[in-house]
């Protein structure tokens, strides 16, 4: 378990045995003068050796050259970056660090980049250094990974072509990295340790750090108050389900934002049981809620200026005598009735309760739900890009730009309720919970199910992010969502780095939302 420290500019390594890894795009590395980097290499590397290593880099897509055995190396990021990839090359930064930095001894990482790439690069480093491990041989002594930025300025011909990050900017990327690692730790932790009780403990800890007391509705109180989706999904589990809310309400706020996360701490599929090959990895089904918890922490610590609510829909989709059955009809918090035809389509049930609560009780005019919702997401947009859907087309550009600037990539799904809501037709209830035709835009349909509980005439902005595949890379969680949400709503932050990289978001106006939905 490594401590992560960010700095602006370079400090002396202090010891010849501390490894140093220099990362940057080839154009930045070739512009880097030896005198600018010499303090990190001490007497280990000559200017000639450094120059030869940089000129021999051949990134296809990446390349790493050793400068001094395994104690100093330089790595080039990919040259090619398409319009749907992040200019920061964040995914390559993560992979290079994963293969080069072990986290069991003190190490230094130097990132040479543009100012616009600092935030995404810092989050990329955090993804490479996970916190959860049960390896018996794991080093119990915490190492320190120092990450130092050489940020390119506008005047490449000046005596010092690099600009210093401010203390506020360092604080911001530190908070974001903490949020990313928190989210990844929760997702990596098995349900034997991260059940609903444990997740509530994580929510309470973050609340205490931010001086916020969570609102929690649990077990049979959920049923009594009408949360038929959350209660119906989680009532068979040994640890009962819960709705938890963290609310940050600063003075002077004029907007109310709610982030709603799917927190299925384990998904067996319920009585529509998953197969033995499909069930491993279902501890990650709380990834949406985990990402929102990390993003809430980072956003509030960085000075969010508007009302912000984080809503966690927590349950274990288990089996037992009390399990919801196919053919059962649940009444959700919206009052709409749902005939269950697939208990493995449970995420949309808990999220529907959550988004309606955000609208009715929290009076949010911007509601974003995030979830590991469908396997169809991976088919539609792949392993790196989450899929999104929104009732307000004016937000499309902001979402796409936020993905590119944050490193948490996104890509739009078709928004067409008139084509997709019919997939949930029921003869007995208002709707079924799973589609009739599994070949008809399943990822879009799943999102439309959630919006149906808000109502298609809902006057506010609703955004749905399905990140079923980007939530992990191989066997490890990525902390997906923290960087995306803090960037998307960065205009509501006091922090200069977030305000600078955040795209302009549409003004929230009921008439504009209705027009954007149609046009």
């Amino acid at each position: 378990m490594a401590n992560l420290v960010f700095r602006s500019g370079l400090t002396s390594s202090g010891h010849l045995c501390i490894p140093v890894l220099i990362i940057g795009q080839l154009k930045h590395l070739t512009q880097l003068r030896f005198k600018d980097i010499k303090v990190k290499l001490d007497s280990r590397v000559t200017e000639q050796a450094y120059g030869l290593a940089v000129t021999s880099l051949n990134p296809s897509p990446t390349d790493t050259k050793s400068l001094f055995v395994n104690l100093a190396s330089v790595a080039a990021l990919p040259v090619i970056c398409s319009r749907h990839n992040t200019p920061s090359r964040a995914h390559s930064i993560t992979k290079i660090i994963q293969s080069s930095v072990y986290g069991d001894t003190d190490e230094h990482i130097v990132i040479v980049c543009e100012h616009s790439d600092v935030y995404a690069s810092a989050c990329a480093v955090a993804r490479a250094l996970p916190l959860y491990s049960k390896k018996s041989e794991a080093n119990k002594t915490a190492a320190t990974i120092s990450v130092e930025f050489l940020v390119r300025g506008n005047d490449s011909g000046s005596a010092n072509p690099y600009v210093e990050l401010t203390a506020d900017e360092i604080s911001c990327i530190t908070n974001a990295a903490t949020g990313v690692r928190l989210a990844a730790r929760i997702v990596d932790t098995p349900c034997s340790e991260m059940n609903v009780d444990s997740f509530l403990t994580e929510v309470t800890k973050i609340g205490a750090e931010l001086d916020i007391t969570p609102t929690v509705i649990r077990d049979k109180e959920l049923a009594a108050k009408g949360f038929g989706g959350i209660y119906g999904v989680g009532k068979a589990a040994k640890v009962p389900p819960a709705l938890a809310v963290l609310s940050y309400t600063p003075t002077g706020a004029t907007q109310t934002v709610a982030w709603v996360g799917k927190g299925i701490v384990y998904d067996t599929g319920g009585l529509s049981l998953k197969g033995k090959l499909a069930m491993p990895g279902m501890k990650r089904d709380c990834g949406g809620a985990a990402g929102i918890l990390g993003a809430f922490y980072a956003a509030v610590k960085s000075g969010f200026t508007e009302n912000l609510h984080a809503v966690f829909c927590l349950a274990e989709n288990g089996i037992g005598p009390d399990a919801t059955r196919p053919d059962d009809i649940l009444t959700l918090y919206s009052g709409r009735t749902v005939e269950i035809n697939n208990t493995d389509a449970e995420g949309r049930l808990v999220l529907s309760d959550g988004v309606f609560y955000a609208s009715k009780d929290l009076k949010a005019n911007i509601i974003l739900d995030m979830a590991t919702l469908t396997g169809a997401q991976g088919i539609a947009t792949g392993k790196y890009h989450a899929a999104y859907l929104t009732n307000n087309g004016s937000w499309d550009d902001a979402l796409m730009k936020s993905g590119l600037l944050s490193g948490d990539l996104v890509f739009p799904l078709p928004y067409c309720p008139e084509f997709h809501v019919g997939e949930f037709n029921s003869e007995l209830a208002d709707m079924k919970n799973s589609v009739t035709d599994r070949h008809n835009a399943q990822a879009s349909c799943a999102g439309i199910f959630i919006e149906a509980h808000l109502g298609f005439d809902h006057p506010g902005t609703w955004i749905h992010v399905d990140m079923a595949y980007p939530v992990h890379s191989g066997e490890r969680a990525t902390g997906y969502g923290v960087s995306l949400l803090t960037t998307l709503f960065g205009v509501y932050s006091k922090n200069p780095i977030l305000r600078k990289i955040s795209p302009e978001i549409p003004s929230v106006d009921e008439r504009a939302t209705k027009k954007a939905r149609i046009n």
Side-chain angles (χ1 to χ4, degrees):
M1 182 187 300
N3 297 318
L4 192 52
V5 177
F6 293 99
R7 297 188 176 95
S8 179
L10 305 186
T11 60
S12 171
S13 299
H15 198 289
L16 292 179
C17 292
I18 295 180
V20 176
L21 171 64
I22 304 163
I23 303 174
Q25 295 180 41
L26 192 57
K27 63 180 180 180
H28 294 150
L29 294 175
T30 54
Q31 293 169 353
L32 184 61
R33 301 168 302 190
F34 184 71
K35 67 178 182 179
D36 296 325
I37 199 70
K38 184 178 179 181
V39 68
K40 301 305 299 183
L41 302 175
D42 301 309
S43 58
R44 290 178 286 188
V45 181
T46 65
E47 182 172 0
Q48 182 182 23
Y50 175 78
L52 286 172
V54 171
T55 55
S56 65
L57 285 167
N58 182 29
S60 55
T62 65
D63 191 19
T64 302
K65 298 294 182 184
S66 173
L67 299 170
F68 182 78
V69 288
N70 63 341
L71 294 177
S73 55
V74 59
L77 296 170
V79 174
I80 298 173
C81 180
S82 69
R83 70 181 187 277
H84 293 148
N85 193 8
T86 171
S88 66
R89 281 76 164 172
H91 299 84
S92 293
I93 292 174
T94 300
K95 289 179 180 177
I96 288 169
I97 293 174
Q98 285 172 332
S99 63
S100 305
V101 175
Y102 299 100
D104 54 358
T105 60
D106 292 352
E107 300 190 43
H108 288 199
I109 299 169
V110 176
I111 297 180
V112 190
C113 65
E114 306 287 345
H115 192 276
S116 57
D117 294 334
V118 168
Y119 193 72
S121 299
C123 292
V125 175
R127 293 186 197 104
L129 299 168
L131 291 170
Y132 183 84
S133 176
K134 284 288 179 155
K135 288 182 177 289
S136 58
E137 69 275 14
N139 193 327
K140 303 302 181 183
T141 303
T144 296
I145 307 298
S146 297
V147 183
E148 300 173 350
F149 285 93
L150 278 177
V151 182
R152 297 288 305 179
N154 293 325
D155 186 5
S156 59
S158 67
N160 182 13
Y162 300 99
V163 297
E164 291 284 324
L165 296 176
T166 67
D168 281 344
E169 290 173 330
I170 292 294
S171 174
C172 180
I173 61 177
T174 299
N175 293 333
T178 300
V180 168
R181 299 179 86 196
L182 166 68
R185 176 176 60 78
I186 291 172
V187 172
D188 275 338
T189 305
C191 186
S192 56
E193 300 171 41
M194 189 55 66
N195 55 31
V196 173
D197 284 342
S198 306
F199 203 114
L200 286 173
T201 298
E202 298 288 345
V203 170
T204 301
K205 285 179 180 177
I206 293 300
E209 189 162 345
L210 302 174
D211 198 24
I212 298 171
T213 301
T215 298
V216 180
I217 305 171
R218 287 211 78 176
D219 201 7
K220 289 184 168 42
E221 187 184 0
L222 286 166
K225 291 189 173 182
F227 294 92
I230 299 174
Y231 182 70
V233 170
K235 64 179 180 172
K238 181 179 179 181
V239 181
L243 177 79
V245 186
L246 288 171
S247 295
Y248 175 71
T249 53
T251 303
T254 60
Q255 306 288 350
T256 299
V257 180
W259 296 339
V260 183
K262 173 187 172 183
I264 301 298
V265 293
Y266 201 80
D267 183 16
T268 66
L271 292 179
S272 303
L273 190 65
K274 292 180 183 290
K276 65 180 181 180
L277 298 180
M279 204 181 299
M282 285 300 107
K283 65 178 181 178
R284 304 185 188 114
D285 219 12
C286 63
I292 282 173
L293 182 59
F296 183 85
Y297 169 85
V300 174
K301 291 284 281 185
S302 296
F304 207 77
T305 58
E306 303 293 344
N307 296 323
L308 180 62
H309 303 279
V311 182
F312 307 98
C313 306
L314 306 174
E316 179 182 348
N317 189 18
I319 8 181
D322 294 330
T324 293
R325 296 166 289 263
D327 293 338
D328 284 356
I329 295 176
L330 306 180
T331 302
L332 272 56
Y333 193 54
S334 64
R336 294 178 67 86
T337 55
V338 179
E339 179 185 0
I340 303 302
N341 61 342
N342 180 3
T343 63
D344 196 19
E346 83 298 331
R348 63 200 67 182
L349 299 173
V350 304
L351 284 175
S352 295
D353 277 353
V355 298
F356 192 77
Y357 176 86
S359 174
K360 177 178 179 290
D361 294 69
L362 302 177
K363 310 301 182 186
N365 55 338
I366 306 173
I367 299 172
L368 180 147
D369 71 75
M370 189 166 72
T372 52
L373 200 64
T374 65
Q377 176 271 306
I379 297 170
T381 60
K383 296 190 297 183
Y384 298 99
H385 294 75
Y388 76 83
L389 199 65
T390 177
N391 69 348
N392 188 338
S394 298
W395 281 71
D396 275 341
D397 190 47
L399 281 155
M400 284 291 290
K401 285 182 178 177
S402 296
L404 297 177
L405 291 167
S406 69
D408 282 343
L409 298 171
V410 293
F411 200 81
L413 293 170
Y415 177 79
C416 201
E418 61 270 34
F419 285 171
H420 298 141
V421 72
E423 291 292 341
F424 301 106
N425 285 345
S426 168
E427 295 291 325
L428 303 174
D430 292 326
M431 58 199 308
K432 293 183 178 180
N433 75 313
S434 191
V435 294
T436 300
D437 183 358
R438 297 183 68 83
H439 296 92
N440 184 23
Q442 279 191 72
S444 287
C445 290
I448 293 301
F449 179 97
I450 296 164
E451 191 197 8
H453 292 267
L454 277 177
F456 296 117
D457 59 349
H458 175 65
T461 293
W462 165 76
I463 301 163
H464 165 68
V465 179
D466 186 344
M467 30 75 88
Y469 278 67
V471 74
H472 72 104
S473 177
E475 294 294 313
R476 277 297 190 176
T478 59
Y480 184 94
V482 175
S483 187
L484 174 69
L485 297 189
T486 50
T487 301
L488 177 61
F489 292 93
V491 68
Y492 295 152
S493 175
K494 294 178 182 177
N495 193 279
I497 194 170
L498 283 174
R499 291 189 67 85
K500 188 169 184 177
I501 67 170
S502 176
E504 182 179 352
I505 62 176
S507 60
V508 180
D509 179 272
E510 293 185 8
R511 292 166 298 175
T513 301
K514 290 177 180 178
K515 183 179 179 182
R517 182 184 295 115
I518 297 170
N519 295 339

